[in-house]
Amino acid sequence: MKNNYLLPHKFKLIGLILLAPTLVLAAMFLFNDFEFEFLELPVFSIANTPLFGDSDLFVTLSNNITNELIAVLSIVSLLFIAFSKQKNEDELVNAIRLKSLVMATYINYFILLFCVIFFYELAFLWVMLLNMFTILIFFIVYFNLRMFQLNRK
């Protein structure tokens, strides 16, 4: 079966190589407020809503893009890992991939429902920020666990 929607197998290694330094940078940013000084740049903003003041639409502002760079690298590396072909991609692997995606979606939204009920204000903002990544992480973990079980048989 031909899977045109999957990336070539070598993208998995590229994703793993990208993910390692990205996780280090993310930890430094989250726990130490680390930012690269040279990434303070003028950026175009479609919508800007400061904590105090009026909202602006379609403006250029100065911003340190360290956190945006970390988010982009995280998403790209997780997508590369999640959606690259296996060495031996067949119908069984395709079925496991589909089931893993469904299970990851169920788990992700079950946790999100829990958080909607029990987290508020800034804590919920953190939940939503992390939720960008969790569905890919749950998929990767569940899929690789199922593939490990299949290969062990």
Side-chain angles (χ1 to χ4, degrees), residues 1 25 31 38 46 50-51 60 71 73 86 106 129 136 141 151:
M1 183 169 156
L25 285 174
F31 300 117
F38 68 91
I46 294 175
L51 190 56
T60 302
L73 288 173
Q86 296 294 305
Y106 284 156
L129 178 72
L136 286 170
V141 169
N151 291 332

Side-chain angles (χ1 to χ4, degrees), residues 124-135:
F124 185 73
L125 183 64
W126 278 104
V127 166
M128 292 306 295
L129 178 72
L130 294 174
N131 190 254
M132 288 190 301
F133 310 104
T134 54
I135 194 162

Side-chain angles (χ1 to χ4, degrees), residues 3-33:
N3 294 327
N4 294 329
Y5 59 91
L6 294 176
L7 299 167
H9 178 68
K10 65 183 172 185
F11 277 74
K12 187 170 191 168
L13 179 61
I14 295 169
L16 289 168
I17 291 170
L18 277 175
L19 187 61
T22 303
L23 289 176
V24 172
L25 285 174
M28 290 169 54
F29 178 78
L30 288 173
F31 300 117
N32 295 327
D33 292 330

Side-chain angles (χ1 to χ4, degrees), residues 2-147:
K2 188 108 172 134
N3 294 327
N4 294 329
Y5 59 91
L6 294 176
L7 299 167
H9 178 68
K10 65 183 172 185
F11 277 74
K12 187 170 191 168
L13 179 61
I14 295 169
L16 289 168
I17 291 170
L18 277 175
L19 187 61
T22 303
L23 289 176
V24 172
L25 285 174
M28 290 169 54
F29 178 78
L30 288 173
F31 300 117
N32 295 327
D33 292 330
F34 173 79
E35 291 183 338
F36 289 111
E37 295 294 328
F38 68 91
L39 291 178
E40 185 75 33
L41 302 169
V43 294
F44 175 73
S45 173
I46 294 175
N48 179 40
T49 307
L51 190 56
F52 300 107
D54 296 329
S55 297
D56 294 320
L57 299 174
F58 304 105
V59 295
T60 302
L61 49 97
S62 181
N63 184 41
N64 191 302
I65 62 167
T66 302
N67 57 343
E68 287 85 359
L69 181 64
I70 292 169
V72 167
L73 288 173
S74 298
I75 292 169
V76 168
S77 61
L78 289 171
L79 282 171
F80 281 5
I81 294 167
F83 297 111
S84 60
K85 290 181 185 176
Q86 296 294 305
K87 284 184 182 177
N88 299 316
E89 190 79 27
D90 59 9
E91 286 83 12
L92 180 58
V93 173
N94 198 18
I96 292 171
R97 187 181 301 279
L98 178 61
K99 183 177 180 181
S100 300
L101 189 56
V102 170
M103 290 304 297
T105 304
Y106 284 156
I107 293 166
N108 187 66
Y109 281 99
F110 176 77
I111 292 171
L112 183 59
L113 282 171
F114 176 84
C115 292
V116 165
I117 295 168
F118 294 109
F119 287 74
Y120 298 95
E121 297 181 11
L122 193 56
F124 185 73
L125 183 64
W126 278 104
V127 166
M128 292 306 295
L129 178 72
L130 294 174
N131 190 254
M132 288 190 301
F133 310 104
T134 54
I135 194 162
L136 286 170
I137 293 168
F138 293 149
F139 169 75
I140 291 167
V141 169
Y142 191 85
F143 177 72
N144 285 308
L145 180 64
R146 297 290 303 213
M147 290 302 295

